[in-house]
Amino acid sequence: MRARRLPETDWADLLNEAIVRALDGTRLWPPEVPILAFLAGCMRSIEHDLRRRTALERAWREQDEPAGSIDPERAVAAAQALGAIVALFSGDATVLRIIEELGYGRSAAEICARHGLSRTDYDSARKRLRRALLRLDT
């Protein structure tokens, strides 16, 4: 049912991704949680992330380019770069929230207030983001 809201995604894709994340350790399965409940929760989380990423990509395209003047090559490159960054931080919701909020031009204080982050949490997440991006660049 969740996959119906996502273009080009079906329930099998969500299930497969949930299983992959469980096997690679990205999502930890608590022993007291039944497997079906665990996988359903994973699928719900993945669907939410995909929906948020799709909305964010759409907003960035609409914001950056006047109607009718989108360069297809640039749009593909931007979508691929954003997809790589989101994939890199798929297990770090704080970093993803910060990236999203920075995309909207919000300040550190606004981001902390909107998401209940302390300044230390915010700074730690920004350092994780910077280190990961530097590792990609080398």
Side-chain angles (χ1 to χ4, degrees):
M1 182 162 133
R2 293 191 169 280
R4 281 189 247 158
R5 293 186 256 171
L6 297 168
E8 302 176 16
T9 303
D10 65 6
W11 68 269
D13 294 331
L14 293 176
L15 178 60
N16 183 50
E17 184 63 24
I19 292 170
V20 166
R21 290 183 185 190
L23 292 175
D24 73 6
T26 304
R27 294 293 302 251
L28 299 177
W29 177 21
E32 68 277 1
V33 176
I35 185 70
L36 293 178
F38 169 72
L39 290 174
C42 289
M43 291 171 69
R44 183 174 37 255
S45 175
I46 293 164
E47 178 264 340
H48 176 76
D49 289 343
L50 288 172
R51 209 168 8 96
R52 188 180 71 220
R53 183 183 336 150
T54 301
L56 183 59
E57 288 171 358
R58 186 179 319 116
W60 283 353
R61 279 193 305 265
E62 292 170 359
Q63 178 184 19
D64 289 345
E65 300 290 337
S69 68
I70 296 175
D71 174 19
E73 190 174 309
R74 184 174 169 208
V76 168
Q80 288 174 340
L82 181 60
I85 290 170
V86 170
L88 182 65
F89 296 104
S90 65
D92 195 334
T94 304
V95 170
L96 289 175
R97 282 190 209 113
I98 290 172
I99 291 169
E100 182 177 9
E101 296 292 340
L102 290 173
Y104 289 118
R106 295 197 174 93
S107 70
E110 290 172 318
I111 295 169
C112 289
R114 286 178 66 97
H115 296 286
L117 298 173
S118 70
R119 186 58 192 213
T120 303
D121 293 337
Y122 177 84
D123 289 340
S124 296
R126 287 286 306 257
K127 287 176 186 174
R128 289 193 307 272
L129 171 64
R130 189 183 78 244
R131 281 188 222 118
L133 292 176
L134 286 173
R135 280 192 306 267
L136 279 180
D137 195 37
T138 57

